[in-house]
Amino acid sequence: MNNRISRSILEDNHKRLIDQYKANLSDVCAIQSILNDEILSHVVQELALSDADHTWAKEWISDTATIFRFLRHHGFVRSLALEAIYTALIWRLNALRLFALPSALLHCLPPPICDPLGRPLVFLQLSELLTCEQTMMDRLLISLERLSIHLRSLNTLNDEFVNREVTLQCVFVIDLEGLSVQSVNLKILTWLMKEVVPRYPGMLGAVFFLNYSWTYAMTWSIMKSLLPKSAVAKVFFPSREELLRYCSASALPSNYGGALSPLHLIEDPLNSHEQKNCASVASREWCMPAPSTGLPETLHRQPSSVTIPPRSSLNPFFGYPSVASFSRPHTVQQGRRRKRDLLLTLSVLWWKRWGTRVIITLYFLIVVGLTRKRVRRLARWMLGVALPSGSTLLAIT
């Protein structure tokens, strides 16, 4: 476990990221040209976008930092990055619920407060996230979208200064207080990996976990062997004193050992009613938490029907996909009844009932296996040390 924050590692990671950005800036511009000249026009015709939707999509494409993060996430392969950006663009136009209120789980400190490398600090209470419902998950997406806009607005301000570097990432400070390993919601973790990371890639420059227990230390010692080195180098488990030495008291709230006001009293640019630093007028309008003016018109057009998830509590045909019509609100049509849907539903129900015990059992077996392996190595080492003297005694007798 990285108990201490290694400033040299963070500086090397940051320098490597900036060098990659400068080296691949021409590829980023080429991708933006393809998106504007070819893909966006196709999307406009396919989805019959209004002028407001078109402007909104074009503004997102013009964000160089966002396009670079997609390109870097896909190994700097243009074709893979273009496919991922196209998928994300369609999702944003069809599914991103901008009218949802932002989540109070994320709290970003306002500029000029930042870490020593100029990256924004974002605080997260993980115990609340892993027990949240679908509404909170939607709000978290809005907060991440606003965080992306916040990074864009910082880059707009940086353009006014010649020697200012581009801000590509932020630093997450995650509070584990009140959260046990057994209470971790695997559904939320799966959602984060499958839904969030591909659509908001590369935004985390470092993750600091606070108020952790020894069970997290053992869990991390197992998990880090399965993760790539680039991911392990971003994760740290510092004490508050270590965090204070890295960020300084002027950049931390008082409830985390700093000289600022308590976290809940500090202005949060992600939840501000006046987005003064948004990248453009279009962003300023749809950054607002209420569904007032400026939202993409695609989101105001009500679809004719909606698909009810198979295992939703609102689904009368539990386990099978169903479709509800807005024109006939009391009628729900059952979808295809497939055996795989039944097996999947039974598997999900079984996992909800026994999943936690299975994880604890596997965790215990892994710990026992690692312990036995170390004991065997120690026994062999002790036997190897004691063997020369024993063989001498046998030779004398």
Side-chain angles (χ1 to χ4, degrees):
M1 177 186 293
N2 299 338
N3 286 321
R4 296 185 177 182
I5 299 177
S6 176
R7 188 160 183 166
S8 60
I9 293 178
L10 292 175
E11 290 177 349
D12 291 343
N13 292 341
H14 181 69
K15 183 179 182 302
R16 189 181 306 111
L17 179 70
I18 298 299
D19 291 341
Q20 290 175 343
Y21 176 79
K22 295 178 180 178
N24 293 276
L25 190 56
S26 59
D27 287 343
V28 172
C29 295
I31 291 176
Q32 288 177 316
S33 298
I34 296 175
L35 290 170
N36 283 315
D37 299 339
E38 302 176 16
I39 295 180
L40 186 56
S41 59
H42 172 72
V43 172
V44 170
Q45 296 178 359
E46 181 183 356
L47 300 181
L49 298 183
S50 65
D51 293 339
D53 295 336
H54 187 194
T55 303
W56 180 56
K58 195 169 184 177
E59 181 183 341
W60 181 71
I61 292 174
S62 66
D63 185 10
T64 305
T66 296
I67 303 302
F68 167 75
R69 286 192 290 263
F70 273 95
L71 181 62
R72 181 172 179 265
H73 184 69
H74 292 276
F76 299 100
V77 180
R78 285 195 191 183
S79 58
L80 297 179
L82 277 170
E83 182 180 356
I85 293 170
Y86 173 77
T87 303
L89 179 61
I90 297 298
W91 171 79
R92 293 171 64 83
L93 292 169
N94 288 331
L96 186 58
R97 303 175 182 177
L98 295 180
F99 53 82
L101 293 174
S103 172
L105 300 176
L106 298 185
H107 194 119
C108 181
L109 300 186
I113 303 174
C114 59
D115 83 326
L117 300 177
R119 299 172 296 188
L121 293 171
V122 182
F123 288 79
L124 169 62
Q125 185 74 29
L126 196 61
S127 60
E128 298 181 15
L129 171 62
L130 296 181
T131 57
C132 65
E133 299 177 353
Q134 183 64 43
T135 303
M136 187 61 69
M137 293 162 65
D138 293 338
R139 291 185 177 183
L140 181 61
L141 277 178
I142 302 304
S143 293
L144 290 174
E145 179 66 24
R146 292 189 174 196
L147 180 59
S148 177
I149 296 173
H150 180 58
L151 293 177
R152 187 193 316 169
S153 67
L154 292 178
N155 291 327
T156 303
L157 294 176
N158 292 342
D159 290 341
E160 301 176 2
F161 302 92
V162 179
N163 296 325
R164 286 281 186 91
E165 290 184 342
V166 61
T167 303
L168 298 171
Q169 296 177 324
C170 56
V171 174
F172 265 56
V173 181
I174 301 179
D175 194 347
L176 296 175
E177 187 174 6
L179 180 68
S180 61
V181 176
Q182 294 83 357
S183 62
V184 173
N185 191 330
L186 294 180
K187 179 182 177 181
I188 303 296
L189 294 179
T190 304
W191 171 75
L192 288 173
M193 298 303 298
K194 289 186 176 182
E195 303 293 335
V196 177
V197 173
R199 289 157 181 164
Y200 298 92
M203 292 181 63
L204 294 183
V207 182
F208 301 149
F209 288 98
L210 300 179
N211 299 320
Y212 56 91
S213 61
W214 66 272
T215 55
Y216 287 102
M218 297 187 65
T219 303
W220 175 245
S221 64
I222 298 173
M223 289 182 59
K224 69 179 182 181
S225 61
L226 306 176
L227 298 174
K229 293 183 179 179
S230 58
V232 175
K234 296 181 180 180
V235 180
F236 298 89
F237 289 78
S239 63
R240 292 198 176 188
E241 291 73 17
E242 290 286 343
L243 182 64
L244 185 61
R245 279 196 292 269
Y246 174 74
C247 292
S248 78
S250 60
L252 291 175
S254 59
N255 44 340
Y256 287 92
L260 300 176
S261 302
L263 183 62
H264 68 281
L265 296 179
I266 301 177
E267 178 188 358
D268 183 4
L270 306 185
N271 293 284
S272 175
H273 290 279
E274 295 182 1
Q275 297 288 340
K276 296 181 180 180
N277 295 325
C278 283
S280 69
V281 176
S283 292
R284 187 180 300 112
E285 290 173 348
W286 64 266
C287 278
M288 298 300 288
S292 55
T293 60
L295 288 175
E297 294 179 4
T298 310
L299 298 173
H300 288 297
R301 294 195 295 266
Q302 190 179 43
S304 59
S305 62
V306 62
T307 301
I308 304 177
R311 287 167 294 280
S312 173
S313 59
L314 302 177
N315 191 346
F317 306 100
F318 188 82
Y320 299 99
S322 303
V323 178
S325 174
F326 285 106
S327 59
R328 303 173 64 186
H330 300 289
T331 302
V332 177
Q333 298 178 357
Q334 182 180 1
R336 296 176 58 186
R337 301 186 63 178
R338 298 172 296 189
K339 292 183 179 179
R340 64 183 182 184
D341 292 327
L342 176 61
L343 294 176
L344 181 60
T345 300
L346 294 176
S347 301
V348 171
L349 293 176
W350 182 89
W351 182 258
K352 286 184 178 180
R353 178 66 178 85
W354 301 101
T356 303
R357 298 184 183 182
V358 170
I359 293 175
I360 295 175
T361 303
L362 291 176
Y363 177 78
F364 176 76
L365 292 176
I366 292 174
V367 172
V368 171
L370 293 176
T371 304
R372 292 182 62 183
K373 189 175 181 180
R374 292 181 180 178
V375 170
R376 288 178 181 176
R377 288 182 180 178
L378 180 61
R380 290 176 183 175
W381 179 79
M382 294 179 64
L383 183 61
V385 173
L387 185 59
S389 59
S391 59
T392 305
L393 291 175
L394 290 175
I396 295 176
T397 57

